[in-house]
Coordinates of all heavy atoms in Angstrom, one line a residue:
P1 N -13.8 34.8 -13.0 CA -12.8 33.8 -12.6 C -11.4 34.2 -13.1 O -11.3 34.6 -14.3 CB -13.2 32.5 -13.2 CG -14.4 32.7 -14.1 CD -14.8 34.2 -13.9
D2 N -10.4 34.0 -12.3 CA -9.1 34.4 -12.7 C -8.4 33.2 -13.3 O -7.7 32.4 -12.6 CB -8.3 34.9 -11.4 CG -6.9 35.3 -11.7 OD1 -6.5 35.4 -12.9 OD2 -6.1 35.5 -10.7
S3 N -8.5 33.0 -14.6 CA -7.9 31.8 -15.2 C -6.4 31.8 -15.2 O -5.8 30.7 -15.1 CB -8.4 31.7 -16.6 OG -8.0 32.8 -17.4
S4 N -5.8 33.0 -15.1 CA -4.3 33.0 -15.1 C -3.9 32.5 -13.7 O -2.9 31.8 -13.6 CB -3.7 34.4 -15.3 OG -4.1 35.3 -14.4
G5 N -4.6 32.8 -12.6 CA -4.3 32.3 -11.3 C -4.5 30.8 -11.2 O -3.7 30.1 -10.6
E6 N -5.6 30.4 -11.8 CA -5.9 28.9 -11.8 C -4.8 28.2 -12.6 O -4.4 27.1 -12.2 CB -7.3 28.7 -12.5 CG -8.4 29.1 -11.6 CD -9.8 29.0 -12.3 OE1 -9.8 28.4 -13.4 OE2 -10.7 29.6 -11.8
N7 N -4.4 28.8 -13.7 CA -3.3 28.1 -14.5 C -2.0 28.1 -13.8 O -1.3 27.1 -13.8 CB -3.1 28.9 -15.9 CG -4.2 28.7 -16.8 OD1 -5.0 27.7 -16.7 ND2 -4.4 29.6 -17.8
A8 N -1.7 29.1 -13.0 CA -0.5 29.1 -12.2 C -0.5 28.0 -11.1 O 0.4 27.3 -10.9 CB -0.2 30.5 -11.6
L9 N -1.7 27.9 -10.5 CA -1.9 26.9 -9.4 C -1.8 25.5 -10.0 O -1.1 24.7 -9.5 CB -3.2 27.1 -8.8 CG -3.6 26.1 -7.7 CD1 -2.6 26.3 -6.5 CD2 -5.0 26.4 -7.2
R10 N -2.4 25.3 -11.2 CA -2.3 24.0 -11.8 C -0.8 23.7 -12.2 O -0.4 22.6 -12.1 CB -3.2 24.0 -13.0 CG -3.2 22.6 -13.8 CD -4.4 22.5 -14.7 NE -4.3 21.4 -15.6 CZ -4.5 20.1 -15.3 NH1 -4.7 19.8 -14.0 NH2 -4.4 19.2 -16.2
G11 N -0.1 24.7 -12.7 CA 1.3 24.5 -13.1 C 2.1 24.1 -11.9 O 3.0 23.2 -12.0
R12 N 1.9 24.7 -10.8 CA 2.6 24.3 -9.5 C 2.3 22.9 -9.1 O 3.1 22.2 -8.7 CB 2.4 25.4 -8.4 CG 3.1 26.7 -8.7 CD 3.1 27.6 -7.4 NE 1.7 27.9 -7.0 CZ 1.0 28.9 -7.4 NH1 1.5 29.8 -8.3 NH2 -0.2 29.2 -6.9
E13 N 1.0 22.6 -9.2 CA 0.5 21.3 -8.8 C 1.2 20.2 -9.7 O 1.7 19.2 -9.2 CB -1.0 21.2 -9.0 CG -1.6 19.8 -8.7 CD -3.1 19.8 -9.0 OE1 -3.6 20.7 -9.6 OE2 -3.6 18.7 -8.7
I14 N 1.3 20.5 -11.0 CA 1.9 19.5 -11.9 C 3.4 19.4 -11.6 O 4.0 18.3 -11.7 CB 1.6 19.9 -13.4 CG1 0.2 19.7 -13.7 CG2 2.5 19.1 -14.4 CD1 -0.3 20.3 -15.0
A15 N 4.1 20.6 -11.4 CA 5.5 20.6 -11.1 C 5.8 19.8 -9.8 O 6.8 19.0 -9.8 CB 6.0 22.0 -10.9
R16 N 5.0 19.9 -8.8 CA 5.2 19.1 -7.6 C 5.0 17.7 -7.8 O 5.8 16.8 -7.4 CB 4.2 19.6 -6.5 CG 4.6 20.8 -5.7 CD 3.8 21.0 -4.4 NE 2.4 21.2 -4.7 CZ 1.8 22.3 -5.0 NH1 2.5 23.4 -5.0 NH2 0.5 22.4 -5.2
A17 N 4.0 17.3 -8.6 CA 3.8 15.9 -8.9 C 4.9 15.3 -9.8 O 5.4 14.2 -9.6 CB 2.4 15.7 -9.7
L18 N 5.4 16.1 -10.7 CA 6.6 15.7 -11.5 C 7.8 15.5 -10.7 O 8.5 14.4 -10.9 CB 6.8 16.7 -12.7 CG 7.9 16.3 -13.7 CD1 7.7 15.0 -14.3 CD2 8.0 17.4 -14.7
D19 N 8.1 16.4 -9.8 CA 9.2 16.2 -8.9 C 9.1 14.9 -8.1 O 10.1 14.2 -7.9 CB 9.4 17.4 -8.0 CG 9.9 18.7 -8.6 OD1 10.5 18.5 -9.8 OD2 9.8 19.8 -8.1
A20 N 7.9 14.7 -7.5 CA 7.7 13.5 -6.7 C 7.8 12.3 -7.6 O 8.4 11.3 -7.1 CB 6.3 13.6 -6.1
F21 N 7.3 12.3 -8.8 CA 7.5 11.1 -9.7 C 8.9 10.9 -10.0 O 9.3 9.7 -9.9 CB 6.7 11.4 -11.0 CG 7.0 10.4 -12.1 CD1 6.5 9.1 -12.0 CD2 7.8 10.7 -13.1 CE1 6.8 8.2 -13.0 CE2 8.1 9.8 -14.1 CZ 7.6 8.5 -14.0
L22 N 9.7 11.9 -10.3 CA 11.1 11.7 -10.7 C 11.9 11.0 -9.5 O 12.8 10.2 -9.7 CB 11.7 13.0 -11.1 CG 11.3 13.6 -12.4 CD1 11.8 15.0 -12.6 CD2 11.7 12.6 -13.6
E23 N 11.5 11.3 -8.3 CA 12.1 10.7 -7.1 C 11.9 9.3 -7.0 O 12.6 8.5 -6.4 CB 11.7 11.5 -5.8 CG 12.3 12.9 -5.7 CD 11.8 13.6 -4.5 OE1 11.3 12.9 -3.5 OE2 12.0 14.8 -4.4
T24 N 10.8 8.8 -7.6 CA 10.5 7.4 -7.6 C 11.2 6.5 -8.6 O 11.2 5.3 -8.5 CB 8.9 7.1 -7.8 OG1 8.6 7.4 -9.2 CG2 8.1 7.9 -6.9
L25 N 11.8 7.2 -9.6 CA 12.5 6.4 -10.6 C 13.9 6.0 -10.2 O 14.6 6.7 -9.5 CB 12.6 7.4 -11.9 CG 11.4 7.8 -12.6 CD1 11.7 8.7 -13.7 CD2 10.6 6.6 -13.1
P26 N 14.3 4.9 -10.8 CA 15.8 4.5 -10.7 C 16.6 5.6 -11.3 O 16.1 6.3 -12.2 CB 15.9 3.2 -11.4 CG 14.5 2.7 -11.6 CD 13.6 3.9 -11.6
K27 N 17.8 5.8 -10.8 CA 18.7 6.9 -11.3 C 18.8 6.9 -12.8 O 18.8 7.9 -13.4 CB 20.1 6.7 -10.6 CG 21.0 7.8 -11.0 CD 22.3 7.7 -10.3 CE 23.3 8.8 -10.7 NZ 24.6 8.7 -10.0
D28 N 19.1 5.7 -13.4 CA 19.3 5.7 -14.9 C 18.0 6.2 -15.7 O 18.2 6.9 -16.6 CB 19.7 4.3 -15.4 CG 18.8 3.2 -15.1 OD1 17.9 3.3 -14.1 OD2 18.8 2.2 -15.8
S29 N 16.9 5.8 -15.2 CA 15.6 6.2 -15.9 C 15.4 7.7 -15.7 O 15.0 8.4 -16.6 CB 14.4 5.5 -15.3 OG 14.5 4.1 -15.6
R30 N 15.7 8.2 -14.5 CA 15.6 9.6 -14.2 C 16.5 10.4 -15.1 O 16.1 11.5 -15.7 CB 15.8 9.9 -12.8 CG 15.6 11.3 -12.3 CD 15.7 11.5 -10.8 NE 16.9 11.0 -10.3 CZ 17.0 10.0 -9.4 NH1 15.9 9.4 -9.0 NH2 18.1 9.6 -8.9
I31 N 17.8 10.0 -15.2 CA 18.8 10.7 -16.0 C 18.3 10.7 -17.5 O 18.4 11.8 -18.1 CB 20.1 10.0 -15.9 CG1 20.7 10.4 -14.5 CG2 21.1 10.5 -17.0 CD1 22.0 9.6 -14.2
L32 N 17.9 9.6 -18.0 CA 17.5 9.6 -19.4 C 16.3 10.5 -19.7 O 16.2 11.3 -20.7 CB 17.1 8.2 -19.9 CG 18.2 7.1 -20.0 CD1 17.6 5.8 -20.5 CD2 19.3 7.6 -20.9
F33 N 15.3 10.5 -18.8 CA 14.1 11.3 -18.9 C 14.5 12.8 -18.9 O 14.1 13.6 -19.7 CB 13.2 11.0 -17.7 CG 11.8 11.7 -17.8 CD1 10.8 11.1 -18.6 CD2 11.6 12.9 -17.2 CE1 9.6 11.7 -18.7 CE2 10.4 13.5 -17.4 CZ 9.3 12.9 -18.1
L34 N 15.4 13.2 -17.9 CA 15.8 14.6 -17.9 C 16.6 15.0 -19.1 O 16.5 16.1 -19.6 CB 16.5 14.8 -16.6 CG 15.7 14.8 -15.3 CD1 16.5 14.9 -14.1 CD2 14.6 15.9 -15.3
R35 N 17.5 14.1 -19.5 CA 18.3 14.5 -20.7 C 17.4 14.7 -21.9 O 17.7 15.7 -22.7 CB 19.3 13.3 -21.0 CG 20.4 13.1 -20.1 CD 21.4 14.1 -19.7 NE 21.8 15.1 -20.8 CZ 22.5 16.2 -20.5 NH1 22.9 16.5 -19.3 NH2 22.7 17.1 -21.4
R36 N 16.4 13.9 -22.0 CA 15.5 14.1 -23.2 C 14.5 15.2 -23.1 O 14.4 16.0 -24.0 CB 14.7 12.8 -23.4 CG 13.8 12.8 -24.6 CD 14.6 12.8 -25.9 NE 13.7 12.8 -27.1 CZ 13.8 13.7 -28.0 NH1 14.7 14.7 -28.0 NH2 12.9 13.7 -29.0
Y37 N 13.9 15.3 -21.9 CA 12.8 16.3 -21.8 C 13.1 17.6 -21.1 O 12.3 18.5 -21.2 CB 11.5 15.6 -21.2 CG 11.1 14.4 -22.0 CD1 11.2 13.1 -21.6 CD2 10.6 14.6 -23.3 CE1 10.9 12.0 -22.4 CE2 10.3 13.5 -24.1 CZ 10.4 12.3 -23.6 OH 10.0 11.2 -24.4
W38 N 14.2 17.6 -20.4 CA 14.6 18.9 -19.7 C 15.7 19.6 -20.6 O 15.6 20.7 -20.9 CB 15.0 18.7 -18.3 CG 15.4 19.9 -17.6 CD1 16.7 20.4 -17.4 CD2 14.5 20.9 -17.0 NE1 16.6 21.6 -16.7 CE2 15.3 21.9 -16.5 CE3 13.2 21.0 -16.9 CZ2 14.8 23.0 -15.9 CZ3 12.6 22.1 -16.3 CH2 13.4 23.1 -15.8
F39 N 16.7 18.8 -20.9 CA 17.8 19.3 -21.7 C 17.6 19.2 -23.2 O 18.5 19.7 -23.9 CB 19.1 18.6 -21.3 CG 19.5 18.9 -19.8 CD1 19.3 17.9 -18.9 CD2 20.0 20.1 -19.4 CE1 19.7 18.1 -17.6 CE2 20.3 20.3 -18.1 CZ 20.2 19.3 -17.2
A40 N 16.6 18.5 -23.6 CA 16.2 18.4 -25.0 C 17.3 17.7 -25.9 O 17.5 18.0 -27.0 CB 15.8 19.7 -25.6
D41 N 18.0 16.8 -25.3 CA 19.0 16.0 -26.0 C 18.3 15.1 -27.0 O 17.2 14.6 -26.7 CB 19.9 15.1 -25.0 CG 20.8 15.9 -24.2 OD1 20.9 17.2 -24.4 OD2 21.5 15.3 -23.4
S42 N 18.9 14.8 -28.1 CA 18.3 13.9 -29.0 C 18.5 12.4 -28.5 O 19.4 12.2 -27.7 CB 18.9 14.0 -30.4 OG 20.3 13.5 -30.4
V43 N 17.6 11.6 -29.0 CA 17.8 10.1 -28.7 C 19.2 9.6 -29.1 O 19.8 8.9 -28.3 CB 16.7 9.3 -29.3 CG1 16.9 7.8 -29.2 CG2 15.3 9.7 -28.7
A44 N 19.6 10.0 -30.2 CA 21.0 9.6 -30.7 C 22.1 10.1 -29.7 O 23.0 9.3 -29.4 CB 21.2 10.1 -32.1
D45 N 22.0 11.3 -29.3 CA 23.0 11.9 -28.4 C 22.9 11.1 -27.0 O 24.0 10.9 -26.4 CB 22.8 13.4 -28.1 CG 23.2 14.2 -29.3 OD1 23.9 13.7 -30.2 OD2 22.7 15.4 -29.4
I46 N 21.7 10.9 -26.6 CA 21.6 10.1 -25.3 C 22.2 8.7 -25.4 O 23.0 8.3 -24.5 CB 20.1 10.1 -24.8 CG1 19.6 11.5 -24.5 CG2 20.0 9.1 -23.6 CD1 18.1 11.5 -24.3
A47 N 21.9 8.1 -26.5 CA 22.4 6.7 -26.7 C 23.9 6.7 -26.7 O 24.5 5.8 -26.1 CB 21.8 6.2 -28.0
K48 N 24.5 7.7 -27.4 CA 25.9 7.7 -27.5 C 26.6 8.0 -26.2 O 27.5 7.4 -25.8 CB 26.3 8.8 -28.6 CG 27.8 8.9 -28.8 CD 28.1 9.9 -29.9 CE 29.6 10.0 -30.1 NZ 29.9 11.0 -31.2
R49 N 26.0 9.0 -25.5 CA 26.5 9.4 -24.2 C 26.5 8.3 -23.2 O 27.5 8.1 -22.4 CB 25.7 10.6 -23.6 CG 26.1 11.0 -22.2 CD 25.2 12.1 -21.7 NE 25.4 13.3 -22.4 CZ 25.7 14.5 -21.9 NH1 25.7 14.6 -20.5 NH2 25.9 15.6 -22.6
Y50 N 25.5 7.4 -23.2 CA 25.4 6.4 -22.2 C 25.6 5.0 -22.7 O 25.3 4.0 -22.1 CB 24.0 6.5 -21.5 CG 23.8 7.8 -20.7 CD1 23.1 8.8 -21.2 CD2 24.5 8.0 -19.5 CE1 23.0 10.1 -20.6 CE2 24.4 9.2 -18.9 CZ 23.7 10.2 -19.4 OH 23.6 11.4 -18.8
D51 N 26.2 5.0 -23.9 CA 26.6 3.7 -24.5 C 25.4 2.7 -24.6 O 25.5 1.6 -24.1 CB 27.8 3.1 -23.8 CG 28.4 1.9 -24.6 OD1 28.4 2.0 -25.8 OD2 29.0 1.0 -24.0
M52 N 24.3 3.2 -25.2 CA 23.1 2.4 -25.3 C 22.7 2.5 -26.8 O 23.1 3.4 -27.5 CB 22.0 3.0 -24.5 CG 22.3 3.1 -23.0 SD 21.0 4.0 -22.1 CE 19.6 2.9 -22.2
T53 N 21.8 1.6 -27.2 CA 21.3 1.6 -28.5 C 20.1 2.7 -28.5 O 19.5 2.9 -27.5 CB 20.7 0.3 -29.0 OG1 19.6 -0.1 -28.2 CG2 21.8 -0.8 -29.0
E54 N 19.9 3.3 -29.7 CA 18.8 4.2 -29.7 C 17.4 3.5 -29.4 O 16.6 4.1 -28.7 CB 18.7 4.8 -31.1 CG 19.8 5.8 -31.4 CD 19.7 6.6 -32.7 OE1 18.5 6.8 -33.1 OE2 20.7 6.9 -33.3
S55 N 17.3 2.3 -29.8 CA 16.1 1.5 -29.5 C 15.9 1.4 -28.0 O 14.8 1.5 -27.5 CB 16.2 0.1 -30.2 OG 15.1 -0.6 -29.9
K56 N 17.0 1.1 -27.3 CA 16.8 0.9 -25.9 C 16.5 2.2 -25.2 O 15.6 2.3 -24.3 CB 18.1 0.4 -25.3 CG 18.0 0.1 -23.8 CD 19.3 -0.6 -23.2 CE 19.1 -0.8 -21.8 NZ 20.1 -1.7 -21.2
V57 N 17.0 3.3 -25.7 CA 16.7 4.6 -25.1 C 15.2 4.9 -25.3 O 14.5 5.4 -24.4 CB 17.6 5.7 -25.7 CG1 17.1 7.1 -25.3 CG2 19.0 5.6 -25.3
K58 N 14.8 4.7 -26.6 CA 13.3 5.0 -26.9 C 12.4 4.1 -26.1 O 11.4 4.6 -25.6 CB 13.1 4.7 -28.4 CG 13.7 5.7 -29.3 CD 13.4 5.3 -30.8 CE 14.2 6.2 -31.8 NZ 13.9 5.7 -33.1
M59 N 12.8 2.9 -25.9 CA 11.9 2.0 -25.1 C 11.9 2.4 -23.6 O 10.8 2.5 -23.0 CB 12.4 0.5 -25.2 CG 11.5 -0.5 -24.4 SD 9.7 -0.4 -24.9 CE 9.8 -1.0 -26.5
Q60 N 13.0 2.8 -23.1 CA 13.0 3.2 -21.7 C 12.2 4.5 -21.5 O 11.5 4.7 -20.5 CB 14.5 3.4 -21.2 CG 14.6 3.8 -19.7 CD 15.7 3.0 -19.1 OE1 16.5 2.3 -19.7 NE2 15.8 3.3 -17.8
L61 N 12.4 5.4 -22.5 CA 11.6 6.7 -22.4 C 10.1 6.4 -22.5 O 9.3 7.0 -21.8 CB 12.0 7.7 -23.5 CG 13.4 8.3 -23.3 CD1 13.9 9.0 -24.6 CD2 13.5 9.2 -22.1
L62 N 9.7 5.5 -23.4 CA 8.3 5.2 -23.5 C 7.7 4.6 -22.2 O 6.7 5.0 -21.7 CB 8.1 4.1 -24.6 CG 6.7 3.5 -24.7 CD1 5.7 4.6 -25.1 CD2 6.7 2.4 -25.7
R63 N 8.5 3.7 -21.6 CA 8.1 3.1 -20.3 C 8.0 4.2 -19.2 O 7.0 4.2 -18.4 CB 9.0 2.0 -19.9 CG 8.9 0.8 -20.8 CD 9.9 -0.3 -20.4 NE 9.7 -1.5 -21.2 CZ 10.7 -2.3 -21.6 NH1 11.9 -2.1 -21.1 NH2 10.5 -3.3 -22.3
T64 N 8.9 5.1 -19.2 CA 8.9 6.2 -18.2 C 7.7 7.1 -18.4 O 7.0 7.5 -17.5 CB 10.2 6.9 -18.2 OG1 11.3 6.0 -18.0 CG2 10.2 8.0 -17.1
R65 N 7.4 7.4 -19.7 CA 6.2 8.3 -20.0 C 5.0 7.6 -19.5 O 4.1 8.2 -19.0 CB 6.2 8.6 -21.5 CG 7.2 9.6 -21.9 CD 6.9 10.2 -23.3 NE 6.6 9.1 -24.3 CZ 7.5 8.5 -25.1 NH1 8.8 8.8 -25.0 NH2 7.1 7.6 -26.0
N66 N 4.9 6.3 -19.8 CA 3.7 5.5 -19.3 C 3.5 5.5 -17.8 O 2.4 5.7 -17.3 CB 3.7 4.1 -19.9 CG 3.5 4.0 -21.4 OD1 3.0 4.9 -22.0 ND2 3.9 2.9 -22.0
K67 N 4.7 5.3 -17.1 CA 4.6 5.4 -15.7 C 4.2 6.8 -15.2 O 3.5 6.9 -14.2 CB 6.0 5.0 -15.1 CG 6.4 3.6 -15.2 CD 7.8 3.4 -14.6 CE 8.2 1.9 -14.8 NZ 9.6 1.7 -14.3
L68 N 4.7 7.8 -15.9 CA 4.4 9.2 -15.5 C 2.9 9.4 -15.7 O 2.2 10.0 -14.8 CB 5.2 10.2 -16.3 CG 4.8 11.7 -16.1 CD1 4.9 12.1 -14.7 CD2 5.6 12.5 -17.1
R69 N 2.3 9.0 -16.8 CA 0.9 9.1 -17.1 C 0.1 8.4 -15.9 O -0.8 9.0 -15.4 CB 0.5 8.5 -18.4 CG -1.0 8.7 -18.8 CD -1.4 7.9 -19.9 NE -1.3 6.5 -19.6 CZ -0.6 5.6 -20.3 NH1 0.1 5.9 -21.4 NH2 -0.6 4.3 -19.9
D70 N 0.4 7.2 -15.6 CA -0.3 6.5 -14.5 C -0.1 7.2 -13.2 O -1.1 7.3 -12.4 CB 0.3 5.1 -14.4 CG 0.0 4.2 -15.6 OD1 -0.9 4.6 -16.4 OD2 0.6 3.1 -15.8
Y71 N 1.1 7.7 -12.9 CA 1.3 8.4 -11.7 C 0.4 9.7 -11.6 O -0.2 10.0 -10.5 CB 2.8 8.8 -11.5 CG 3.1 9.5 -10.2 CD1 3.5 8.8 -9.1 CD2 3.1 10.9 -10.1 CE1 3.8 9.4 -7.9 CE2 3.4 11.5 -8.9 CZ 3.8 10.8 -7.8 OH 4.1 11.4 -6.7
L72 N 0.4 10.5 -12.7 CA -0.4 11.7 -12.6 C -1.9 11.4 -12.5 O -2.6 12.1 -11.8 CB -0.1 12.5 -13.9 CG 1.2 13.1 -14.1 CD1 1.4 13.8 -15.4 CD2 1.6 14.1 -12.9
E73 N -2.3 10.3 -13.1 CA -3.7 9.9 -13.0 C -4.0 9.5 -11.6 O -5.1 9.9 -11.0 CB -4.1 8.8 -13.9 CG -4.2 9.2 -15.4 CD -4.4 8.1 -16.4 OE1 -4.5 6.9 -15.9 OE2 -4.5 8.4 -17.6
Q74 N -3.1 8.8 -10.9 CA -3.3 8.5 -9.5 C -3.4 9.7 -8.6 O -4.1 9.7 -7.6 CB -2.2 7.5 -9.0 CG -2.3 6.2 -9.6 CD -1.1 5.3 -9.2 OE1 -0.1 5.8 -8.6 NE2 -1.2 4.0 -9.4
E75 N -2.6 10.7 -9.0 CA -2.6 12.0 -8.2 C -3.8 12.9 -8.6 O -4.0 14.0 -8.1 CB -1.3 12.8 -8.5 CG -0.1 12.1 -8.0 CD -0.1 11.9 -6.5 OE1 -0.3 12.9 -5.8 OE2 0.1 10.8 -6.0
G76 N -4.7 12.4 -9.5 CA -5.8 13.2 -9.9 C -5.6 14.3 -10.9 O -6.4 15.2 -11.0
I77 N -4.5 14.2 -11.6 CA -4.1 15.2 -12.6 C -4.3 14.6 -14.0 O -3.7 13.6 -14.4 CB -2.6 15.6 -12.4 CG1 -2.4 16.2 -11.1 CG2 -2.2 16.6 -13.5 CD1 -0.9 16.5 -10.7
Q78 N -5.3 15.2 -14.7 CA -5.6 14.7 -16.0 C -4.8 15.5 -17.0 O -4.6 16.7 -17.0 CB -7.1 15.0 -16.3 CG -8.0 14.2 -15.5 CD -7.8 12.7 -15.6 OE1 -7.7 12.2 -16.7 NE2 -7.8 11.9 -14.5
I79 N -4.2 14.7 -18.0 CA -3.3 15.4 -19.0 C -3.9 15.2 -20.3 O -4.8 14.4 -20.6 CB -1.9 14.8 -19.0 CG1 -1.9 13.3 -19.0 CG2 -1.2 15.3 -17.7 CD1 -0.5 12.7 -19.2

């Protein structure tokens, strides 16, 4: 079995699901998620940039991660 081929296929499947998930989010949630997990901004930097408390940023990110987990499970992707 070609595990590298299977891994590449699974990676593309996850990438497509993530793109589709991001399109379902409100703009502000999508921006926070991308700033944190794509651009690796700190919670403090995100809070300062968008004039939010760190607590609010953390809570919004938690809710988005939970939605992502549920979305991936619905798509049949186990994480």
Side-chain angles (χ1 to χ4, degrees):
D2 181 11
S3 64
S4 65
E6 290 173 13
N7 287 341
L9 180 62
R10 181 163 167 75
R12 287 192 301 273
E13 176 186 9
I14 292 170
R16 278 193 300 271
L18 182 56
D19 285 343
F21 169 73
L22 290 172
E23 290 179 14
T24 70
L25 293 176
K27 183 179 179 181
D28 60 335
S29 296
R30 183 172 54 246
I31 288 170
L32 291 183
F33 188 86
L34 290 172
R35 293 299 328 168
R36 181 69 179 127
Y37 300 112
W38 182 259
F39 297 106
D41 289 355
S42 70
V43 169
D45 287 344
I46 294 168
K48 185 176 179 182
R49 175 183 289 231
Y50 297 104
D51 194 29
M52 301 170 72
T53 64
E54 288 185 35
S55 176
K56 184 172 180 173
V57 171
K58 288 178 187 177
M59 182 55 66
Q60 186 139 0
L61 289 170
L62 173 65
R63 290 178 179 149
T64 303
R65 287 193 312 270
N66 288 340
K67 287 178 185 178
L68 174 59
R69 184 192 64 237
D70 293 345
Y71 183 87
L72 292 175
E73 286 176 1
Q74 289 176 350
E75 294 297 310
I77 298 172
Q78 295 300 315
I79 52 170

